[in-house]
Amino acid sequence: MKAIVFYQHGPLDVLQLADLPTPPVGPSDVLIDVKAAALNRLDLWVREGWPGLKLKLPHISGSDAAGVVAAVGEAVTEFKPGQRVTVNPTLSCGECEYCFRGEDQMCLKHSLLGEFTSGTYAEQIVVPARNVVALPDDTSFEEAAAANLIMVTAWHSLIRRGQLRAGETVLVVGAGGGVNIASIQIAKLAGARVLVVASNAPKAEKARALGADVVLDRSKDTDWSRAVFSLTNRRGVDVVVDNVGAATWLSSIRALARGGRMLVVGNTSGPKFEMDSRFMFAKHISIVGSTMGSHQDYRAVMNLVFQRKIKSVVDRVLPLSEAREAQRILQEGDVFGKVVLKP
Ligand code: ZN
């Protein structure tokens, strides 16, 4: 099978097209012909590598995939060849304390497709059957691949960890990234008022189209936490979704109301920042971290995608062979929604 691999960590040009053997199918596994694979920022970080990261090389990146079942292991009864499916990227053991609790995302052997294991930039992948969900005919492979990781991440963070309730106000810092696109829509569906900080006018317009109630364009108004304050009658918001990190942390904390929750699932501008603890105790603020979600979360949010209550947003689709160009586009950051590869 054809796949995009790298033999060493480094810049974009370490990515190359290779011919690899079809991966072996274990008794509880499903072999899938990949029809669409979506990119995530994680793919760029894995390619570049970080201290302590030891991957079996060559490595195939990619956490998101949808496709058609090619073969199943002998213990798999739920799926058969030819069936359209999509894939939950959270890999868990199914046997530890956390898996028994239904908290697969906290599994002691938790992993993510394409991070420490072989990923989806390939013509075929093998995944455990418990990660596979049937894909309705009216949801395209591109829509499903573009939804998998971001939707389960945003759902788990906002609904399960953040306990978002109807009538609350949510601020989403950023508009174009996948988790933000998912968060805007999930928060609206949950009955919240949604404020968004967008980096420019075109992204602001698209955030409005997704249902945001108020969009602040930070290219025009850099002091957006003050604007949030006045838009909420000097109260602040109940929940902030901040996956930017270092560059926005202080403004996000300021934008919270008393008793507010700060939801963190990532840090595109850097992981380390200073924090004045007086804000935390004086305003009774909770900082709530999470990553990915359980198998149940995945099924719940994907059903909303299948019912078109939440839209998958695809920025563009490129052939698998152009993975390098696709990662360059994501790296430059001028995207709204997902970049998708088609084998
Ligand atoms: Zn486990």
Side-chain angles (χ1 to χ4, degrees), residues 16-341:
Q16 51 183 282
L17 191 64
D19 230 324
L20 300 177
T22 298
V25 185
S28 305
D29 292 338
V30 176
L31 175 69
I32 296 169
D33 289 332
V34 176
K35 299 296 180 191
L39 275 67
N40 291 285
R41 210 153 267 279
L42 173 73
D43 308 353
L44 309 180
W45 296 327
V46 171
R47 190 200 70 228
E48 285 157 7
W50 56 81
L53 177 65
K54 284 197 179 65
L55 296 178
K56 192 169 149 255
L57 298 170
H59 180 75
I60 305 173
S61 286
S63 304
D64 277 323
V68 174
V69 175
V72 298
E74 64 218 34
V76 178
T77 52
E78 203 185 332
F79 300 103
K80 49 182 188 293
Q83 201 173 345
R84 303 172 84 248
V85 291
T86 188
V87 180
N88 176 4
T90 299
L91 300 170
S92 55
C93 74
E95 294 173 343
C96 74
E97 169 192 351
Y98 300 98
C99 284
F100 281 139
R101 269 204 238 161
E103 302 278 16
D104 315 86
Q105 74 286 351
M106 292 201 274
C107 174
L108 294 172
K109 292 182 181 163
H110 175 266
S111 181
L112 184 54
L113 208 53
E115 187 182 21
F116 305 116
T117 65
S118 204
T120 61
Y121 291 12
E123 287 178 328
Q124 293 186 308
I125 53 168
V126 167
V127 291
R130 67 167 166 268
N131 282 67
V132 179
V133 166
L135 182 64
D137 288 340
D138 59 354
T139 302
S140 71
F141 296 117
E142 291 85 347
E143 286 173 304
N148 293 325
L149 184 146
I150 57 165
M151 294 299 179
V152 69
T153 301
W155 179 266
H156 183 76
S157 176
L158 273 170
I159 303 299
R160 290 273 310 281
R161 295 281 286 145
Q163 296 282 306
L164 181 64
R165 292 179 290 269
E168 291 192 313
T169 303
V170 177
L171 171 69
V172 180
V173 181
V179 172
N180 293 332
I181 285 172
S183 297
I184 292 167
Q185 298 184 78
I186 291 168
K188 273 309 284 181
L189 196 62
R193 180 185 183 217
V194 180
L195 281 60
V196 175
V197 179
S199 57
N200 57 42
K203 285 186 181 176
E205 197 45 51
K206 287 175 181 162
R208 264 182 220 108
L210 287 176
D213 295 289
V214 181
V215 184
L216 302 160
D217 179 352
R218 71 173 158 85
S219 66
K220 291 181 188 140
D221 181 8
T222 50
D223 196 1
W224 48 265
S225 68
R226 191 180 293 271
V228 169
F229 206 51
S230 57
L231 282 162
T232 53
N233 293 324
R234 307 178 63 76
R235 175 184 177 272
V237 299
D238 300 290
V239 172
V240 173
V241 174
D242 186 329
N243 304 311
V244 183
T248 54
W249 185 263
L250 193 60
S251 298
S252 290
I253 289 281
R254 279 204 193 111
L256 279 168
R258 283 168 186 263
R261 290 97 81 199
M262 177 84 150
L263 306 186
V264 184
V265 302
N267 50 50
T268 52
S269 75
K272 293 182 182 170
F273 34 80
E274 279 189 8
M275 166 94 195
D276 185 334
S277 63
R278 288 172 296 185
F279 279 110
M280 266 189 87
F281 64 75
K283 285 172 74 180
H284 302 256
I285 283 168
S286 306
I287 296 171
V288 183
S290 70
T291 185
M292 306 304 294
S294 68
H295 289 296
Q296 251 181 318
D297 292 328
Y298 176 75
R299 281 163 193 262
V301 76
M302 289 306 286
N303 276 331
L304 296 170
V305 174
F306 300 155
Q307 293 161 25
R308 310 210 164 270
K309 289 184 175 160
I310 304 175
K311 270 196 299 187
S312 203
V313 181
V314 176
D315 183 282
R316 70 195 86 184
V317 181
L318 296 171
L320 177 66
S321 56
E322 287 182 36
R324 202 184 283 178
E325 171 63 6
Q327 285 205 357
R328 190 194 61 75
I329 291 165
L330 183 62
Q331 200 163 287
E332 313 258 300
D334 193 24
V335 289
F336 193 94
K338 302 299 272 183
V339 180
V340 175
L341 295 171

